[in-house]
Amino acid sequence: MKNTPHEPTHSRRRFVRNMTLGAAFIGTGAAGSMAAELAEATRGGERKLGVVLMGLGLYSRGELGPGFKHTKACRLAGVVTGSHAKGVKWSRKHGFPERNIWSYQTMHEMAGNPDVDIVYVVTPNGLHAEHTIMAAQAGKHVICEKPMASTVAESDAMIAACRKANVKLSIGYRLQFDPYHIELDRIARQKDFGTLTRLSGEHSWTFTERAWRIEKTLSGGGPMMDVGIYVIQAACRAAMAQPVAVTARELPKTRPELFNEVEEAVEWTMEFPGGVSCHASSSYSRNNNFFRAEGAKGWIELNPAYAYRGIEVNTSRGPLSLDGVPQQALQMDDFAACVATGRETPVGGSMGRDHMAVIEAVYKSAAEGGRRVEVAKA
Ligand code: NAD
């Protein structure tokens, strides 16, 4: 899916520089106001907000834990884990006190603990609702990993619990803070290539292990829930809208012994207002990672599109090259700033819920022979 630029080098260079400038200001509003928010969040640098990671699996270990080295407004204050010994290792490595190690059964005891401001739920998808509600009931603001939940009904319950506890809820959509995806937003909004009407994307990876990701109650579904959701997010950004309807089909299983509870692969088309459409797919049996958006005046393609780092972008005017802080650090700092200033997070529960509504429509369409299914409105 790689494309060759068609324009001469000098105009390509100018385009890259202009885009870099644009991105610097669009990511967080004005750079100055973000700095002011971070200063407010940390009370002038005196105190970073305390984040507790709930679930110390691969994502916490590989990305979120290390991400705290780059955060300006929050610090790792503790963990919730099923293994106290693992918690002790984390406390030594990250320098938080052992009293800030909770189990899933004792985490309610963090209520009233001033060392903890935010709980970050990083457990299997099917537990997100229960764990988010537990954190909210302990009076803590919540970041919950994607997918927000397994169903729209669970998402609604999470939003209601956070509202009742007067805490903020955000979803771990790290790409919202990635400079290339921010640039995609800008291109869509400012119509550099005209209205982006033809969208396509895929996020697939080859799954081999036996783990919760293929157990329906813990995963909520297969690759659609795990990584297909990234294509939905990118398409909603490029279309600047929620899809109105979908058509979908599940692909035949090549490894039915592994995928007997969830889909192995699914393809779906999202219909947006104004004649915009996105053809998307997600599979646990191939490796693809791209998003492409085309308008009457040009195109942009991200490939890989959804990576933690090393996203590559080409456009009909040439490639883009932007610098960036790790996505997870930007994401956590933005939420800390929201908590401190009262600003709404751009990746709130309503976004998570909107995407769950699309996923439910995709599964419904696939189950009903590819019938067009309208996406339920919030
Ligand atoms: P993982 O299997 O590596 O870790 C899951 C953690 O949950 C483990 O520490 C496990 O002990 C704990 N857990 C608690 N109760 C459990 C139970 N009943 N069964 C199984 N595990 C239980 O998974 P992961 O890859 O770290 O994914 C965790 C969450 O993070 C998922 O929701 C996933 O979608 C999300 N995630 C997001 C990104 C991203 O880029 N935003 C990347 C990877 C994972």
PDB file of all heavy atoms in Angstrom, residues 55-60 82 86 104 120-125 127-128 131 145-147 172 174 212-213 218 225-226 230 308 328, ligand 1:
ATOM      1  N   GLY A  55      -3.708  -3.902  36.638  1.00  0.00           N
ATOM      2  CA  GLY A  55      -3.398  -4.915  35.618  1.00  0.00           C
ATOM      3  C   GLY A  55      -1.985  -4.680  35.104  1.00  0.00           C
ATOM      4  O   GLY A  55      -1.723  -3.665  34.458  1.00  0.00           O
ATOM      5  N   LEU A  56      -1.077  -5.610  35.416  1.00  0.00           N
ATOM      6  CA  LEU A  56       0.337  -5.414  35.072  1.00  0.00           C
ATOM      7  C   LEU A  56       0.779  -6.371  33.975  1.00  0.00           C
ATOM      8  O   LEU A  56       1.798  -7.039  34.080  1.00  0.00           O
ATOM      9  CB  LEU A  56       1.212  -5.607  36.328  1.00  0.00           C
ATOM     10  CG  LEU A  56       0.872  -4.684  37.504  1.00  0.00           C
ATOM     11  CD1 LEU A  56       1.787  -4.962  38.695  1.00  0.00           C
ATOM     12  CD2 LEU A  56       0.960  -3.217  37.090  1.00  0.00           C
ATOM     13  N   GLY A  57      -0.014  -6.444  32.917  1.00  0.00           N
ATOM     14  CA  GLY A  57       0.319  -7.332  31.798  1.00  0.00           C
ATOM     15  C   GLY A  57       1.252  -6.647  30.823  1.00  0.00           C
ATOM     16  O   GLY A  57       1.984  -5.708  31.153  1.00  0.00           O
ATOM     17  N   LEU A  58       1.168  -7.122  29.597  1.00  0.00           N
ATOM     18  CA  LEU A  58       2.109  -6.695  28.562  1.00  0.00           C
ATOM     19  C   LEU A  58       2.077  -5.187  28.295  1.00  0.00           C
ATOM     20  O   LEU A  58       3.126  -4.547  28.185  1.00  0.00           O
ATOM     21  CB  LEU A  58       1.782  -7.461  27.273  1.00  0.00           C
ATOM     22  CG  LEU A  58       2.937  -7.691  26.327  1.00  0.00           C
ATOM     23  CD1 LEU A  58       4.093  -8.363  27.047  1.00  0.00           C
ATOM     24  CD2 LEU A  58       2.473  -8.541  25.162  1.00  0.00           C
ATOM     25  N   TYR A  59       0.886  -4.629  28.201  1.00  0.00           N
ATOM     26  CA  TYR A  59       0.807  -3.211  27.836  1.00  0.00           C
ATOM     27  C   TYR A  59       1.323  -2.322  28.974  1.00  0.00           C
ATOM     28  O   TYR A  59       2.036  -1.347  28.742  1.00  0.00           O
ATOM     29  CB  TYR A  59      -0.637  -2.837  27.452  1.00  0.00           C
ATOM     30  CG  TYR A  59      -0.729  -1.467  26.836  1.00  0.00           C
ATOM     31  CD1 TYR A  59       0.102  -1.103  25.774  1.00  0.00           C
ATOM     32  CD2 TYR A  59      -1.631  -0.515  27.314  1.00  0.00           C
ATOM     33  CE1 TYR A  59       0.047   0.164  25.206  1.00  0.00           C
ATOM     34  CE2 TYR A  59      -1.704   0.757  26.753  1.00  0.00           C
ATOM     35  CZ  TYR A  59      -0.862   1.089  25.702  1.00  0.00           C
ATOM     36  OH  TYR A  59      -0.924   2.343  25.140  1.00  0.00           O
ATOM     37  N   SER A  60       0.984  -2.684  30.213  1.00  0.00           N
ATOM     38  CA  SER A  60       1.499  -1.911  31.347  1.00  0.00           C
ATOM     39  C   SER A  60       3.013  -2.016  31.404  1.00  0.00           C
ATOM     40  O   SER A  60       3.723  -1.021  31.583  1.00  0.00           O
ATOM     41  CB  SER A  60       0.907  -2.429  32.668  1.00  0.00           C
ATOM     42  OG  SER A  60      -0.437  -2.013  32.776  1.00  0.00           O
ATOM     43  N   GLY A  82      -2.960  -8.980  40.919  1.00  0.00           N
ATOM     44  CA  GLY A  82      -3.305 -10.241  41.575  1.00  0.00           C
ATOM     45  C   GLY A  82      -2.091 -10.867  42.250  1.00  0.00           C
ATOM     46  O   GLY A  82      -2.221 -11.841  43.005  1.00  0.00           O
ATOM     47  N   LYS A  86       4.677  -9.400  42.371  1.00  0.00           N
ATOM     48  CA  LYS A  86       4.865  -8.578  41.170  1.00  0.00           C
ATOM     49  C   LYS A  86       4.764  -7.091  41.548  1.00  0.00           C
ATOM     50  O   LYS A  86       5.548  -6.259  41.091  1.00  0.00           O
ATOM     51  CB  LYS A  86       3.763  -8.932  40.158  1.00  0.00           C
ATOM     52  CG  LYS A  86       4.141  -8.671  38.718  1.00  0.00           C
ATOM     53  CD  LYS A  86       2.916  -8.726  37.834  1.00  0.00           C
ATOM     54  CE  LYS A  86       2.881  -9.918  36.931  1.00  0.00           C
ATOM     55  NZ  LYS A  86       1.777  -9.837  35.942  1.00  0.00           N
ATOM     56  N   TYR A 104      -7.157  -6.875  43.586  1.00  0.00           N
ATOM     57  CA  TYR A 104      -8.483  -6.560  43.036  1.00  0.00           C
ATOM     58  C   TYR A 104      -9.524  -6.541  44.151  1.00  0.00           C
ATOM     59  O   TYR A 104     -10.532  -5.863  44.052  1.00  0.00           O
ATOM     60  CB  TYR A 104      -8.861  -7.571  41.942  1.00  0.00           C
ATOM     61  CG  TYR A 104      -7.938  -7.472  40.748  1.00  0.00           C
ATOM     62  CD1 TYR A 104      -6.801  -8.268  40.646  1.00  0.00           C
ATOM     63  CD2 TYR A 104      -8.189  -6.555  39.725  1.00  0.00           C
ATOM     64  CE1 TYR A 104      -5.931  -8.159  39.566  1.00  0.00           C
ATOM     65  CE2 TYR A 104      -7.328  -6.432  38.645  1.00  0.00           C
ATOM     66  CZ  TYR A 104      -6.200  -7.234  38.568  1.00  0.00           C
ATOM     67  OH  TYR A 104      -5.346  -7.101  37.510  1.00  0.00           O
ATOM     68  N   TYR A 120      -5.780   3.642  36.247  1.00  0.00           N
ATOM     69  CA  TYR A 120      -5.696   3.311  34.823  1.00  0.00           C
ATOM     70  C   TYR A 120      -5.994   1.818  34.678  1.00  0.00           C
ATOM     71  O   TYR A 120      -5.197   0.972  35.077  1.00  0.00           O
ATOM     72  CB  TYR A 120      -4.290   3.650  34.305  1.00  0.00           C
ATOM     73  CG  TYR A 120      -4.177   3.725  32.795  1.00  0.00           C
ATOM     74  CD1 TYR A 120      -3.297   4.603  32.187  1.00  0.00           C
ATOM     75  CD2 TYR A 120      -4.958   2.923  31.947  1.00  0.00           C
ATOM     76  CE1 TYR A 120      -3.177   4.680  30.799  1.00  0.00           C
ATOM     77  CE2 TYR A 120      -4.861   2.997  30.576  1.00  0.00           C
ATOM     78  CZ  TYR A 120      -3.970   3.872  30.005  1.00  0.00           C
ATOM     79  OH  TYR A 120      -3.872   3.949  28.637  1.00  0.00           O
ATOM     80  N   VAL A 121      -7.162   1.486  34.109  1.00  0.00           N
ATOM     81  CA  VAL A 121      -7.620   0.092  33.985  1.00  0.00           C
ATOM     82  C   VAL A 121      -6.986  -0.549  32.742  1.00  0.00           C
ATOM     83  O   VAL A 121      -7.264  -0.139  31.613  1.00  0.00           O
ATOM     84  CB  VAL A 121      -9.168   0.052  33.894  1.00  0.00           C
ATOM     85  CG1 VAL A 121      -9.645  -1.372  33.675  1.00  0.00           C
ATOM     86  CG2 VAL A 121      -9.796   0.662  35.137  1.00  0.00           C
ATOM     87  N   VAL A 122      -6.149  -1.568  32.968  1.00  0.00           N
ATOM     88  CA  VAL A 122      -5.413  -2.204  31.857  1.00  0.00           C
ATOM     89  C   VAL A 122      -5.602  -3.726  31.944  1.00  0.00           C
ATOM     90  O   VAL A 122      -4.663  -4.510  31.784  1.00  0.00           O
ATOM     91  CB  VAL A 122      -3.905  -1.839  31.895  1.00  0.00           C
ATOM     92  CG1 VAL A 122      -3.300  -1.984  30.481  1.00  0.00           C
ATOM     93  CG2 VAL A 122      -3.664  -0.441  32.412  1.00  0.00           C
ATOM     94  N   THR A 123      -6.823  -4.118  32.227  1.00  0.00           N
ATOM     95  CA  THR A 123      -7.161  -5.540  32.377  1.00  0.00           C
ATOM     96  C   THR A 123      -7.892  -6.014  31.109  1.00  0.00           C
ATOM     97  O   THR A 123      -8.188  -5.209  30.216  1.00  0.00           O
ATOM     98  CB  THR A 123      -8.051  -5.716  33.626  1.00  0.00           C
ATOM     99  OG1 THR A 123      -9.136  -4.790  33.534  1.00  0.00           O
ATOM    100  CG2 THR A 123      -7.263  -5.469  34.907  1.00  0.00           C
ATOM    101  N   PRO A 124      -8.200  -7.319  31.011  1.00  0.00           N
ATOM    102  CA  PRO A 124      -8.933  -7.790  29.824  1.00  0.00           C
ATOM    103  C   PRO A 124     -10.257  -7.028  29.628  1.00  0.00           C
ATOM    104  O   PRO A 124     -10.914  -6.630  30.596  1.00  0.00           O
ATOM    105  CB  PRO A 124      -9.164  -9.264  30.139  1.00  0.00           C
ATOM    106  CG  PRO A 124      -8.008  -9.636  31.024  1.00  0.00           C
ATOM    107  CD  PRO A 124      -7.768  -8.432  31.888  1.00  0.00           C
ATOM    108  N   ASN A 125     -10.614  -6.867  28.359  1.00  0.00           N
ATOM    109  CA  ASN A 125     -11.767  -6.044  27.977  1.00  0.00           C
ATOM    110  C   ASN A 125     -13.043  -6.366  28.765  1.00  0.00           C
ATOM    111  O   ASN A 125     -13.789  -5.477  29.159  1.00  0.00           O
ATOM    112  CB  ASN A 125     -12.089  -6.237  26.489  1.00  0.00           C
ATOM    113  CG  ASN A 125     -10.857  -6.134  25.621  1.00  0.00           C
ATOM    114  OD1 ASN A 125      -9.861  -5.562  26.030  1.00  0.00           O
ATOM    115  ND2 ASN A 125     -10.913  -6.700  24.412  1.00  0.00           N
ATOM    116  N   LEU A 127     -13.460  -7.152  31.650  1.00  0.00           N
ATOM    117  CA  LEU A 127     -13.440  -6.705  33.050  1.00  0.00           C
ATOM    118  C   LEU A 127     -13.421  -5.185  33.154  1.00  0.00           C
ATOM    119  O   LEU A 127     -13.445  -4.638  34.264  1.00  0.00           O
ATOM    120  CB  LEU A 127     -12.197  -7.284  33.750  1.00  0.00           C
ATOM    121  CG  LEU A 127     -12.108  -8.819  33.752  1.00  0.00           C
ATOM    122  CD1 LEU A 127     -10.764  -9.287  34.276  1.00  0.00           C
ATOM    123  CD2 LEU A 127     -13.245  -9.403  34.588  1.00  0.00           C
ATOM    124  N   HIS A 128     -13.370  -4.486  32.018  1.00  0.00           N
ATOM    125  CA  HIS A 128     -13.246  -3.024  32.064  1.00  0.00           C
ATOM    126  C   HIS A 128     -14.399  -2.368  32.805  1.00  0.00           C
ATOM    127  O   HIS A 128     -14.188  -1.424  33.573  1.00  0.00           O
ATOM    128  CB  HIS A 128     -13.162  -2.453  30.646  1.00  0.00           C
ATOM    129  CG  HIS A 128     -11.842  -2.715  29.967  1.00  0.00           C
ATOM    130  ND1 HIS A 128     -11.569  -2.311  28.679  1.00  0.00           N
ATOM    131  CD2 HIS A 128     -10.719  -3.349  30.397  1.00  0.00           C
ATOM    132  CE1 HIS A 128     -10.332  -2.685  28.350  1.00  0.00           C
ATOM    133  NE2 HIS A 128      -9.809  -3.319  29.372  1.00  0.00           N
ATOM    134  N   HIS A 131     -14.127  -3.035  36.604  1.00  0.00           N
ATOM    135  CA  HIS A 131     -12.971  -2.372  37.208  1.00  0.00           C
ATOM    136  C   HIS A 131     -13.106  -0.852  37.174  1.00  0.00           C
ATOM    137  O   HIS A 131     -12.703  -0.160  38.112  1.00  0.00           O
ATOM    138  CB  HIS A 131     -11.686  -2.844  36.523  1.00  0.00           C
ATOM    139  CG  HIS A 131     -11.358  -4.278  36.859  1.00  0.00           C
ATOM    140  ND1 HIS A 131     -10.504  -5.062  36.133  1.00  0.00           N
ATOM    141  CD2 HIS A 131     -11.798  -5.070  37.885  1.00  0.00           C
ATOM    142  CE1 HIS A 131     -10.420  -6.269  36.685  1.00  0.00           C
ATOM    143  NE2 HIS A 131     -11.207  -6.299  37.736  1.00  0.00           N
ATOM    144  N   GLU A 145      -8.665   1.291  29.353  1.00  0.00           N
ATOM    145  CA  GLU A 145      -8.122   0.912  28.052  1.00  0.00           C
ATOM    146  C   GLU A 145      -9.232   0.644  27.030  1.00  0.00           C
ATOM    147  O   GLU A 145     -10.369   0.384  27.384  1.00  0.00           O
ATOM    148  CB  GLU A 145      -7.206  -0.323  28.192  1.00  0.00           C
ATOM    149  CG  GLU A 145      -5.738   0.016  28.111  1.00  0.00           C
ATOM    150  CD  GLU A 145      -5.399   1.020  27.013  1.00  0.00           C
ATOM    151  OE1 GLU A 145      -5.881   0.869  25.886  1.00  0.00           O
ATOM    152  OE2 GLU A 145      -4.646   1.976  27.270  1.00  0.00           O
ATOM    153  N   LYS A 146      -8.854   0.677  25.764  1.00  0.00           N
ATOM    154  CA  LYS A 146      -9.775   0.328  24.691  1.00  0.00           C
ATOM    155  C   LYS A 146      -9.802  -1.184  24.542  1.00  0.00           C
ATOM    156  O   LYS A 146      -8.789  -1.801  24.897  1.00  0.00           O
ATOM    157  CB  LYS A 146      -9.416   1.020  23.373  1.00  0.00           C
ATOM    158  CG  LYS A 146      -7.952   0.962  22.910  1.00  0.00           C
ATOM    159  CD  LYS A 146      -7.209  -0.321  22.826  1.00  0.00           C
ATOM    160  CE  LYS A 146      -7.673  -1.425  21.956  1.00  0.00           C
ATOM    161  NZ  LYS A 146      -6.752  -2.626  22.059  1.00  0.00           N
ATOM    162  N   PRO A 147     -10.846  -1.803  24.047  1.00  0.00           N
ATOM    163  CA  PRO A 147     -12.156  -1.200  23.851  1.00  0.00           C
ATOM    164  C   PRO A 147     -12.745  -0.893  25.218  1.00  0.00           C
ATOM    165  O   PRO A 147     -12.486  -1.604  26.178  1.00  0.00           O
ATOM    166  CB  PRO A 147     -12.949  -2.297  23.140  1.00  0.00           C
ATOM    167  CG  PRO A 147     -12.331  -3.571  23.622  1.00  0.00           C
ATOM    168  CD  PRO A 147     -10.877  -3.263  23.804  1.00  0.00           C
ATOM    169  N   GLY A 172      -8.314   4.837  26.695  1.00  0.00           N
ATOM    170  CA  GLY A 172      -6.888   4.855  26.341  1.00  0.00           C
ATOM    171  C   GLY A 172      -6.598   4.980  24.853  1.00  0.00           C
ATOM    172  O   GLY A 172      -5.796   4.208  24.314  1.00  0.00           O
ATOM    173  N   ARG A 174      -4.566   6.282  22.648  1.00  0.00           N
ATOM    174  CA  ARG A 174      -3.258   6.951  22.568  1.00  0.00           C
ATOM    175  C   ARG A 174      -3.057   7.692  21.246  1.00  0.00           C
ATOM    176  O   ARG A 174      -2.368   8.701  21.177  1.00  0.00           O
ATOM    177  CB  ARG A 174      -2.139   5.930  22.786  1.00  0.00           C
ATOM    178  CG  ARG A 174      -2.151   4.818  21.765  1.00  0.00           C
ATOM    179  CD  ARG A 174      -1.159   3.720  22.038  1.00  0.00           C
ATOM    180  NE  ARG A 174      -1.465   2.553  21.252  1.00  0.00           N
ATOM    181  CZ  ARG A 174      -1.180   2.395  19.957  1.00  0.00           C
ATOM    182  NH1 ARG A 174      -0.556   3.348  19.299  1.00  0.00           N
ATOM    183  NH2 ARG A 174      -1.511   1.293  19.318  1.00  0.00           N
ATOM    184  N   TRP A 212      -6.744 -14.820  26.988  1.00  0.00           N
ATOM    185  CA  TRP A 212      -8.080 -14.237  27.156  1.00  0.00           C
ATOM    186  C   TRP A 212      -8.592 -13.584  25.867  1.00  0.00           C
ATOM    187  O   TRP A 212      -9.795 -13.451  25.691  1.00  0.00           O
ATOM    188  CB  TRP A 212      -8.081 -13.244  28.328  1.00  0.00           C
ATOM    189  CG  TRP A 212      -7.181 -12.040  28.146  1.00  0.00           C
ATOM    190  CD1 TRP A 212      -5.918 -11.867  28.615  1.00  0.00           C
ATOM    191  CD2 TRP A 212      -7.504 -10.833  27.426  1.00  0.00           C
ATOM    192  NE1 TRP A 212      -5.413 -10.644  28.236  1.00  0.00           N
ATOM    193  CE2 TRP A 212      -6.374  -9.979  27.509  1.00  0.00           C
ATOM    194  CE3 TRP A 212      -8.620 -10.383  26.715  1.00  0.00           C
ATOM    195  CZ2 TRP A 212      -6.331  -8.721  26.922  1.00  0.00           C
ATOM    196  CZ3 TRP A 212      -8.580  -9.128  26.119  1.00  0.00           C
ATOM    197  CH2 TRP A 212      -7.449  -8.309  26.232  1.00  0.00           C
ATOM    198  N   ARG A 213      -7.731 -13.198  24.962  1.00  0.00           N
ATOM    199  CA  ARG A 213      -8.171 -12.503  23.739  1.00  0.00           C
ATOM    200  C   ARG A 213      -9.080 -13.364  22.856  1.00  0.00           C
ATOM    201  O   ARG A 213      -9.781 -12.832  22.006  1.00  0.00           O
ATOM    202  CB  ARG A 213      -6.962 -12.012  22.935  1.00  0.00           C
ATOM    203  CG  ARG A 213      -6.409 -10.685  23.451  1.00  0.00           C
ATOM    204  CD  ARG A 213      -5.301 -10.142  22.569  1.00  0.00           C
ATOM    205  NE  ARG A 213      -4.989  -8.756  22.857  1.00  0.00           N
ATOM    206  CZ  ARG A 213      -4.249  -8.334  23.872  1.00  0.00           C
ATOM    207  NH1 ARG A 213      -3.738  -9.198  24.723  1.00  0.00           N
ATOM    208  NH2 ARG A 213      -4.034  -7.039  24.076  1.00  0.00           N
ATOM    209  N   LEU A 218     -14.051 -12.677  28.283  1.00  0.00           N
ATOM    210  CA  LEU A 218     -12.982 -11.758  28.699  1.00  0.00           C
ATOM    211  C   LEU A 218     -12.603 -10.760  27.605  1.00  0.00           C
ATOM    212  O   LEU A 218     -12.078  -9.686  27.887  1.00  0.00           O
ATOM    213  CB  LEU A 218     -11.733 -12.544  29.124  1.00  0.00           C
ATOM    214  CG  LEU A 218     -11.811 -13.167  30.527  1.00  0.00           C
ATOM    215  CD1 LEU A 218     -10.594 -14.037  30.796  1.00  0.00           C
ATOM    216  CD2 LEU A 218     -11.943 -12.099  31.610  1.00  0.00           C
ATOM    217  N   MET A 225     -12.628  -6.180  18.288  1.00  0.00           N
ATOM    218  CA  MET A 225     -12.555  -5.522  19.599  1.00  0.00           C
ATOM    219  C   MET A 225     -11.133  -5.080  19.919  1.00  0.00           C
ATOM    220  O   MET A 225     -10.913  -4.026  20.506  1.00  0.00           O
ATOM    221  CB  MET A 225     -12.962  -6.520  20.694  1.00  0.00           C
ATOM    222  CG  MET A 225     -14.426  -6.754  20.792  1.00  0.00           C
ATOM    223  SD  MET A 225     -15.145  -5.420  21.771  1.00  0.00           S
ATOM    224  CE  MET A 225     -16.860  -5.910  21.715  1.00  0.00           C
ATOM    225  N   ASP A 226     -10.184  -5.924  19.556  1.00  0.00           N
ATOM    226  CA  ASP A 226      -8.794  -5.715  19.962  1.00  0.00           C
ATOM    227  C   ASP A 226      -8.126  -4.608  19.146  1.00  0.00           C
ATOM    228  O   ASP A 226      -7.566  -3.664  19.715  1.00  0.00           O
ATOM    229  CB  ASP A 226      -8.040  -7.051  19.774  1.00  0.00           C
ATOM    230  CG  ASP A 226      -6.646  -7.034  20.371  1.00  0.00           C
ATOM    231  OD1 ASP A 226      -6.394  -6.234  21.294  1.00  0.00           O
ATOM    232  OD2 ASP A 226      -5.800  -7.837  19.914  1.00  0.00           O
ATOM    233  N   TYR A 230      -9.254   0.515  16.136  1.00  0.00           N
ATOM    234  CA  TYR A 230      -8.380   1.620  15.729  1.00  0.00           C
ATOM    235  C   TYR A 230      -8.781   2.159  14.365  1.00  0.00           C
ATOM    236  O   TYR A 230      -8.638   3.350  14.096  1.00  0.00           O
ATOM    237  CB  TYR A 230      -6.925   1.152  15.667  1.00  0.00           C
ATOM    238  CG  TYR A 230      -6.279   0.947  17.012  1.00  0.00           C
ATOM    239  CD1 TYR A 230      -6.108  -0.330  17.536  1.00  0.00           C
ATOM    240  CD2 TYR A 230      -5.822   2.032  17.759  1.00  0.00           C
ATOM    241  CE1 TYR A 230      -5.502  -0.523  18.768  1.00  0.00           C
ATOM    242  CE2 TYR A 230      -5.217   1.848  18.985  1.00  0.00           C
ATOM    243  CZ  TYR A 230      -5.054   0.572  19.488  1.00  0.00           C
ATOM    244  OH  TYR A 230      -4.458   0.389  20.698  1.00  0.00           O
ATOM    245  N   TYR A 308       2.893   2.062  18.092  1.00  0.00           N
ATOM    246  CA  TYR A 308       3.294   2.910  19.231  1.00  0.00           C
ATOM    247  C   TYR A 308       4.296   3.960  18.769  1.00  0.00           C
ATOM    248  O   TYR A 308       4.362   5.050  19.279  1.00  0.00           O
ATOM    249  CB  TYR A 308       3.974   2.077  20.318  1.00  0.00           C
ATOM    250  CG  TYR A 308       3.126   0.982  20.916  1.00  0.00           C
ATOM    251  CD1 TYR A 308       3.686  -0.245  21.220  1.00  0.00           C
ATOM    252  CD2 TYR A 308       1.773   1.190  21.193  1.00  0.00           C
ATOM    253  CE1 TYR A 308       2.934  -1.251  21.787  1.00  0.00           C
ATOM    254  CE2 TYR A 308       1.012   0.190  21.745  1.00  0.00           C
ATOM    255  CZ  TYR A 308       1.592  -1.041  22.047  1.00  0.00           C
ATOM    256  OH  TYR A 308       0.845  -2.039  22.597  1.00  0.00           O
ATOM    257  N   GLN A 328       1.709   7.453  24.904  1.00  0.00           N
ATOM    258  CA  GLN A 328       1.107   7.166  26.206  1.00  0.00           C
ATOM    259  C   GLN A 328       1.371   8.293  27.195  1.00  0.00           C
ATOM    260  O   GLN A 328       0.513   8.613  28.028  1.00  0.00           O
ATOM    261  CB  GLN A 328       1.658   5.842  26.764  1.00  0.00           C
ATOM    262  CG  GLN A 328       1.214   4.609  25.996  1.00  0.00           C
ATOM    263  CD  GLN A 328       2.042   4.334  24.755  1.00  0.00           C
ATOM    264  OE1 GLN A 328       3.020   5.034  24.452  1.00  0.00           O
ATOM    265  NE2 GLN A 328       1.668   3.304  24.007  1.00  0.00           N
TER     266      GLN A 328
HETATM  267  P1  NAD B   1      -2.251  -8.966  29.218  1.00  0.00           P
HETATM  268  O1  NAD B   1      -2.910 -10.284  29.143  1.00  0.00           O
HETATM  269  O2  NAD B   1      -0.799  -8.871  28.918  1.00  0.00           O
HETATM  270  O3  NAD B   1      -2.492  -8.338  30.671  1.00  0.00           O
HETATM  271  C1  NAD B   1      -3.745  -8.376  31.317  1.00  0.00           C
HETATM  272  C2  NAD B   1      -3.580  -8.140  32.800  1.00  0.00           C
HETATM  273  O4  NAD B   1      -4.850  -8.269  33.432  1.00  0.00           O
HETATM  274  C3  NAD B   1      -2.636  -9.141  33.470  1.00  0.00           C
HETATM  275  O5  NAD B   1      -1.803  -8.476  34.377  1.00  0.00           O
HETATM  276  C4  NAD B   1      -3.583 -10.074  34.210  1.00  0.00           C
HETATM  277  O6  NAD B   1      -3.011 -10.621  35.381  1.00  0.00           O
HETATM  278  C5  NAD B   1      -4.720  -9.113  34.563  1.00  0.00           C
HETATM  279  N1  NAD B   1      -5.979  -9.790  34.861  1.00  0.00           N
HETATM  280  C6  NAD B   1      -6.794  -9.466  35.881  1.00  0.00           C
HETATM  281  N2  NAD B   1      -7.841 -10.295  35.928  1.00  0.00           N
HETATM  282  C7  NAD B   1      -7.680 -11.173  34.919  1.00  0.00           C
HETATM  283  C8  NAD B   1      -8.447 -12.280  34.465  1.00  0.00           C
HETATM  284  N3  NAD B   1      -9.581 -12.644  35.061  1.00  0.00           N
HETATM  285  N4  NAD B   1      -8.000 -12.955  33.393  1.00  0.00           N
HETATM  286  C9  NAD B   1      -6.859 -12.598  32.762  1.00  0.00           C
HETATM  287  N5  NAD B   1      -6.095 -11.554  33.166  1.00  0.00           N
HETATM  288  C10 NAD B   1      -6.496 -10.848  34.234  1.00  0.00           C
HETATM  289  O7  NAD B   1      -3.077  -7.996  28.280  1.00  0.00           O
HETATM  290  P2  NAD B   1      -2.623  -6.595  27.665  1.00  0.00           P
HETATM  291  O8  NAD B   1      -2.131  -6.820  26.299  1.00  0.00           O
HETATM  292  O9  NAD B   1      -1.786  -5.856  28.614  1.00  0.00           O
HETATM  293  O10 NAD B   1      -4.064  -5.888  27.500  1.00  0.00           O
HETATM  294  C11 NAD B   1      -4.746  -5.344  28.602  1.00  0.00           C
HETATM  295  C12 NAD B   1      -5.730  -4.282  28.104  1.00  0.00           C
HETATM  296  O11 NAD B   1      -4.991  -3.235  27.494  1.00  0.00           O
HETATM  297  C13 NAD B   1      -6.718  -4.778  27.062  1.00  0.00           C
HETATM  298  O12 NAD B   1      -7.954  -4.140  27.255  1.00  0.00           O
HETATM  299  C14 NAD B   1      -6.128  -4.325  25.749  1.00  0.00           C
HETATM  300  O13 NAD B   1      -7.093  -4.087  24.750  1.00  0.00           O
HETATM  301  C15 NAD B   1      -5.463  -3.039  26.161  1.00  0.00           C
HETATM  302  N6  NAD B   1      -4.308  -2.707  25.316  1.00  0.00           N
HETATM  303  C16 NAD B   1      -4.240  -1.488  24.779  1.00  0.00           C
HETATM  304  C17 NAD B   1      -3.183  -1.144  23.977  1.00  0.00           C
HETATM  305  C18 NAD B   1      -3.098   0.250  23.400  1.00  0.00           C
HETATM  306  O14 NAD B   1      -2.265   0.459  22.531  1.00  0.00           O
HETATM  307  N7  NAD B   1      -3.894   1.196  23.851  1.00  0.00           N
HETATM  308  C19 NAD B   1      -2.179  -2.055  23.716  1.00  0.00           C
HETATM  309  C20 NAD B   1      -2.253  -3.323  24.292  1.00  0.00           C
HETATM  310  C21 NAD B   1      -3.330  -3.640  25.097  1.00  0.00           C
END
